[in-house]
Amino acid sequence: MDLVEVELARVVIHQKGDQQFIHLRERHGSRAFPIVIGFNEVEEINRKLCGVQPPRPLTHDLMGRVFHALGHRLQRVVINELRDSTFYAQLVLAPADAGTSAPAAAEKCVDCRPSDAIALAVQTGAPMYVARPVFDALASD
């Protein structure tokens, strides 16, 4: 699958309303596109970006701890599909001791919402990618 590496370019938080926005920009370019996410997810991403540590682990913290306890790490996030105006993503997990170039056979893919995937990527520093057909259909300068 042809992938475009992206980075979180902007987080837009509206205090009123459920729809929040994050903008993903190609890592080595200027094209970008927004994704609508929920308030809880945007707050979690914003907390991670600001380095705010809650007194007890929240859901995304828990997921990171579960990966670690099971001997895996988040290797990358892939937003792989856009269907009926809904984005789909995958967490790609690799054995924690496999380095950055784990063999594909050792990887495990987990279906998830892009907002959760991005929150985990921000937390762990894992790279984020978008499938080229999805990126090209949405991205603008």
Side-chain angles (χ1 to χ4, degrees):
M1 174 185 314
D2 189 19
L3 301 173
V4 176
E5 188 172 6
V6 296
E7 59 191 4
L8 189 57
R10 198 167 78 174
V11 176
V12 180
I13 299 175
H14 298 286
Q15 295 301 322
K16 294 181 181 178
D18 291 334
Q19 292 188 339
Q20 310 300 316
F21 295 87
I22 55 174
H23 294 258
L24 298 178
R25 178 180 57 226
E26 60 189 329
R27 189 158 173 83
H28 304 289
S30 60
R31 296 187 306 159
F33 68 92
I35 295 179
V36 177
I37 64 174
F39 187 77
N40 291 333
E41 292 78 14
V42 82
E43 280 292 307
E44 180 65 11
I45 291 168
N46 197 49
R47 266 193 296 275
K48 299 293 184 212
L49 290 171
C50 294
V52 174
Q53 293 291 334
R56 297 290 298 141
L58 298 176
T59 303
H60 296 93
D61 303 313
L62 172 64
M63 290 302 302
R65 290 176 181 196
V66 168
F67 297 158
H68 180 73
L70 295 175
H72 282 75
R73 63 180 169 73
L74 181 59
Q75 182 161 329
R76 66 184 172 278
V77 163
V78 179
I79 298 172
N80 58 337
E81 190 174 355
L82 176 63
R83 187 177 350 129
D84 298 326
S85 300
T86 300
F87 289 95
Y88 292 80
Q90 289 186 327
L91 302 175
V92 180
L93 306 176
D97 58 0
T100 57
S101 58
E107 294 179 347
K108 307 258 186 249
C109 295
V110 180
D111 181 44
C112 67
R113 299 180 306 176
S115 55
D116 293 325
I118 292 165
L120 284 164
V122 169
Q123 173 182 317
T124 63
M128 298 181 289
Y129 298 90
V130 177
R132 172 131 349 245
V134 174
F135 188 85
D136 288 344
L138 297 171
S140 62
D141 286 323

